[in-house]
Amino acid sequence: MAIKLKYHKLHPQAQAPVYSTTDAACFDIFLCTNGKMAFKGYDESGKEFTRLLTTNGGILLCPKDRVLAPTGLIFDFAKDYSIRIHPRSGLSLKQGLTLANAEGVIDSDYMEETFVMLTNLSTRNVEVPNLSRICQGELIRNNRVSFE
């Protein structure tokens, strides 16, 4: 029996998480800029910026930019679990986009919109279209340990 992962859409166009294939280990998570005018990030030197969305509603990452990409989703799951956020291999290989923090972790007590820390490792500007797949998630049961 599958474990239920509840989510709440902050905007009607926000995309539900979805398994792209029958045997996929992780579910895809999508960019959702609907309802937003701009996004925040940091450039190569660590200077914070605010950038307007592209004319198509996407986000533009210049080389070495790090941005918080909105998903339009709040996840709701049991306290014994966490969601692990992984890069999409196709985005990393073909466009140079990956997660700035290598792997993201969403704890069960985080009840805000989920943002994905994307970074552009390529030497060219990359536009991420609105409602495109930006990462993949995995619901993991936490194994608490005692330290000796």
Side-chain angles (χ1 to χ4, degrees):
M1 175 156 69
I3 299 169
K4 292 192 189 249
L5 173 58
K6 295 178 186 176
Y7 64 91
H8 307 280
K9 289 183 175 186
L10 296 174
H11 194 277
Q13 272 68 48
Q15 299 294 299
V18 62
Y19 287 98
S20 291
T21 65
T22 305
D23 294 328
C26 297
F27 50 87
D28 289 328
I29 298 175
F30 299 78
L31 176 69
C32 182
T33 61
N34 295 84
K36 299 187 181 352
M37 299 296 293
F39 61 98
K40 293 185 180 279
Y42 294 86
D43 66 17
E44 182 176 14
S45 67
K47 182 179 176 187
E48 186 175 10
F49 64 77
T50 300
R51 192 173 293 149
L52 295 176
L53 300 175
T54 66
T55 56
N56 299 325
I59 58 175
L60 180 70
L61 285 89
C62 298
K64 308 299 188 269
D65 276 356
R66 298 174 306 282
V67 301
L68 290 173
T71 66
L73 299 176
I74 297 173
F75 289 101
D76 184 6
F77 50 93
K79 70 177 185 172
D80 294 340
Y81 291 85
S82 61
I83 295 176
R84 302 305 162 101
I85 303 295
H86 307 289
R88 293 195 65 245
S89 56
L91 279 180
S92 297
L93 177 64
K94 297 173 187 172
Q95 297 185 42
L97 296 180
T98 191
L99 301 184
N101 55 342
E103 177 182 74
V105 177
I106 304 172
D107 295 316
S108 62
D109 59 353
Y110 183 75
M111 298 302 292
E112 304 289 331
E113 180 177 10
T114 298
F115 287 83
V116 176
M117 258 190 281
L118 287 180
T119 189
N120 179 1
L121 299 178
S122 77
T123 57
R124 61 181 176 76
N125 293 347
V126 176
E127 181 180 350
V128 182
N130 189 34
L131 306 179
S132 63
R133 298 180 296 171
I134 56 172
C135 66
Q136 47 190 346
E138 179 179 25
L139 186 66
I140 301 289
R141 186 171 186 99
N142 299 336
N143 294 306
R144 301 289 296 194
V145 300
S146 60
F147 299 96
E148 295 181 10

